[in-house]
């Protein structure tokens, strides 16, 4: 493990430890939808988060997904980019971070996604969006259930009015809760058969950058 990845792991665990009770309470609180979630601001020291943002690849180096369901750039080929991008992505897959997040969110027997079956990085520009959807229910080998999404936003100065914000919907997909994709914010959200979510249209001439990770479990999340 690189020295920087070790530093990032320690910083994330320290932040989660410091806000533990608040994070646990917020995640478990009733927000009138079936998806449990919480937003953790100032995940990393600002200078570290800004360094990660500067290391983020340009959109042209990523794959454009363009359909009626979504429009965004994505990549899992992290070895092609600045090493810092792999370091922050895989820091969330470190056992220490995995175990701490599982403790705070109540996941039993949490399993990571070290091969990024579902994770990676994404970039969304003006006009980009993601329609309401449910994530794949299992991992690539169909052994474990997907139980948690970890979304880390890394665009300095991003404002709610820019769009590109996460939307978590009620089970009838009629009413969303909007979570702005603010800089240096980590969102934890449960995934189950009712966790409809989307990203509303980006309205700014800026790039909404996100580092995504997922956790799995042998136990079904439905009702979790």
């Amino acid at each position: 493990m690189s020295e920087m990845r070790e530093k990032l792991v320690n910083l994330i665990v320290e932040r989660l430890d410091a806000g533990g009770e608040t994070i646990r309470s917020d995640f478990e609180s009733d927000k009138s939808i079936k998806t449990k979630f919480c937003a953790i601001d100032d995940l990393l020291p600002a200078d570290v988060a800004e360094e990660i943002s500067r290391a983020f690849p340009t959109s042209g180096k990523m794959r454009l997904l363009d359909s009626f369901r979504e429009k965004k750039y994505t990549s899992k080929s992290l070895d092609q980019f600045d090493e810092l991008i792999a370091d922050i992505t895989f820091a969330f897959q470190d056992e220490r971070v995995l175990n701490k997040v599982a403790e705070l969110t109540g996941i039993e027997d949490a399993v990571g996604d070290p091969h990024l079956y579902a994770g990676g990085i994404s970039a969304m520009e003006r006009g980009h969006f993601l329609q309401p959807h449910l994530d794949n229910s299992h991992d690539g080998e169909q052994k474990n259930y997907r139980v948690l999404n970890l979304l880390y936003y890394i665009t300095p100065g991003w404002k709610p009015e820019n769009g590109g914000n996460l939307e978590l919907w009620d089970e009838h997909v009629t009413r969303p809760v909007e979570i702005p994709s603010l800089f240096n914010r980590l969102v934890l959200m449960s995934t189950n058969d009712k966790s409809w979510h989307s990203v509303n249209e980006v309205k700014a001439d800026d790039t909404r950058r996100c580092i995504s990770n997922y956790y799995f479990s042998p136990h079904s999340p439905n009702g979790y």
Side-chain angles (χ1 to χ4, degrees):
M1 179 184 295
S2 71
E3 183 177 336
M4 176 54 93
R5 191 175 304 182
E6 179 69 18
K7 175 183 177 180
L8 291 169
V9 168
N10 289 331
L11 287 170
I12 293 170
V13 171
E14 287 173 10
R15 175 66 181 89
L16 296 176
D17 271 334
E21 289 307 315
T22 299
I23 294 168
R24 182 184 287 107
S25 175
D26 190 13
F27 187 80
E28 292 292 337
S29 65
D30 183 3
K31 304 182 182 74
S32 73
I33 58 174
K34 296 292 185 180
T35 303
K36 296 181 180 181
F37 72 92
C38 67
I40 304 166
D41 290 321
D42 303 315
L43 180 72
L44 297 173
D47 60 331
V48 176
E50 288 165 2
E51 185 180 356
I52 294 169
S53 179
R54 288 193 295 271
F56 208 92
T58 59
S59 300
K61 295 182 179 179
M62 304 167 70
R63 175 191 177 198
L64 177 63
L65 303 179
D66 189 358
S67 72
F68 70 91
R69 297 186 183 90
E70 63 187 347
K71 190 169 185 180
K72 64 178 181 178
Y73 292 98
T74 68
S75 184
K76 298 181 184 181
S77 304
L78 305 188
D79 58 341
Q80 299 179 10
F81 311 131
D82 190 304
E83 186 178 4
L84 183 53
I85 299 304
D87 283 338
I88 182 57
T89 303
F90 289 109
F92 289 104
Q93 297 297 331
D94 185 276
E95 188 176 79
R96 290 162 289 180
V97 175
L98 172 72
N99 290 340
K100 176 54 64 174
V101 171
E103 173 192 328
L104 295 175
T105 57
I107 299 172
E108 295 183 13
D109 304 316
V111 178
D113 182 25
H115 302 297
L116 298 185
Y117 162 71
I121 62 174
S122 64
M124 301 179 77
E125 300 179 345
R126 179 181 282 274
H128 288 195
F129 64 91
L130 184 58
Q131 294 281 20
H133 67 286
L134 295 172
D135 288 332
N136 294 340
S137 60
H138 290 75
D139 62 12
E141 297 179 351
Q142 298 289 303
K143 290 183 176 180
N144 296 301
Y145 296 93
R146 189 189 305 218
V147 293
L148 194 77
N149 290 5
L150 301 90
L151 307 170
Y152 180 48
Y153 302 111
I154 201 69
T155 303
W158 194 262
K159 301 176 182 178
E161 57 265 33
N162 288 359
N165 298 320
L166 178 66
E167 296 175 317
L168 304 181
W169 295 79
D170 65 311
E171 58 187 301
H172 303 295
V173 200
T174 57
R175 178 180 50 81
V177 174
E178 183 174 358
I179 307 168
S181 305
L182 302 183
F183 175 60
N184 203 15
R185 165 177 278 184
L186 173 68
V187 172
L188 307 178
M189 58 165 286
S190 64
T191 59
N192 51 50
D193 61 356
K194 296 180 177 63
S195 58
W196 290 91
H197 56 286
S198 58
V199 176
N200 55 29
E201 184 179 342
V202 176
K203 299 177 180 178
D205 292 319
D206 199 353
T207 303
R208 178 238 201 217
R209 304 178 185 94
C210 182
I211 295 166
S212 302
N213 280 274
Y214 300 86
Y215 292 167
F216 300 85
S217 169
H219 309 291
S220 172
N222 298 325
Y224 148 70

